[in-house]
Amino acid sequence: PDPDGRGLQVAIRAALRDADLKPDDIDLLVPFALGHADWDTPELNALLATLGESKLADTPIVSLKPNLGSTGAGIGALDLALGALCLHHQTLPPTLNRANPLPPLRPGHAEPVETGLTHALVLSTGFGGQCTATLLKRVG
């Protein structure tokens, strides 16, 4: 992947523009988070470039990969479901292997955490260079 995460930067900016949202409107991140520096560092660089360091430090992150591993092409759909369920239940699930996230990201929680969520940003990257950023909004 591009070291600066340029593809993800384009996808994130387009998603924010299309949804008429600002970075401060995002209150949950569901990153691709493969667990490999060659992929996670560009994703972090894209998030820093589009959302900013202070926003990343304050925004909870959830991921299924510590629990399931990467399921290949199917992980994008699972990540979307995770974001939707977090918004629906207003709860952050516990995260395994949460102790050492890349700075400035926050570590996950050992137990479920009830929270107020409105918008989730779900990221996905394909090994062929495809990048997606999907914004989910809680309704109801």
Side-chain angles (χ1 to χ4, degrees):
D2 174 75
D4 295 325
R6 285 184 283 219
L8 275 175
Q9 287 184 44
V10 169
I12 293 167
R13 287 187 179 110
L16 288 167
R17 182 188 64 244
D18 290 351
D20 196 26
L21 295 175
K22 295 176 178 55
D24 284 343
D25 295 322
I26 306 303
D27 42 32
L28 177 65
L29 290 173
V30 184
F32 186 61
L34 190 58
H36 189 286
D38 288 348
W39 290 88
D40 292 351
T41 301
E43 181 174 37
L44 176 60
N45 290 338
L47 287 166
L48 287 168
T50 55
L51 303 182
E53 185 172 341
S54 63
K55 180 63 181 168
L56 285 181
D58 293 335
T59 303
I61 295 174
V62 296
S63 178
L64 289 172
K65 290 170 198 77
N67 304 66
L68 301 176
S70 178
T71 60
I75 198 63
L78 294 174
D79 283 343
L80 282 170
L82 172 63
L85 287 168
C86 288
L87 291 173
H88 176 75
H89 292 290
Q90 296 292 287
T91 302
L92 303 175
T95 303
L96 299 175
N97 303 318
R98 67 193 172 280
N100 298 307
L102 294 172
L105 303 177
R106 294 177 11 176
H109 301 280
E111 300 294 327
V113 174
E114 291 185 25
T115 187
L117 301 169
T118 304
H119 296 102
L121 176 62
V122 183
L123 302 177
S124 189
T125 302
F127 293 121
Q130 309 89 336
C131 298
T132 64
T134 305
L135 280 163
L136 302 175
K137 179 180 179 180
R138 182 174 192 259
V139 293

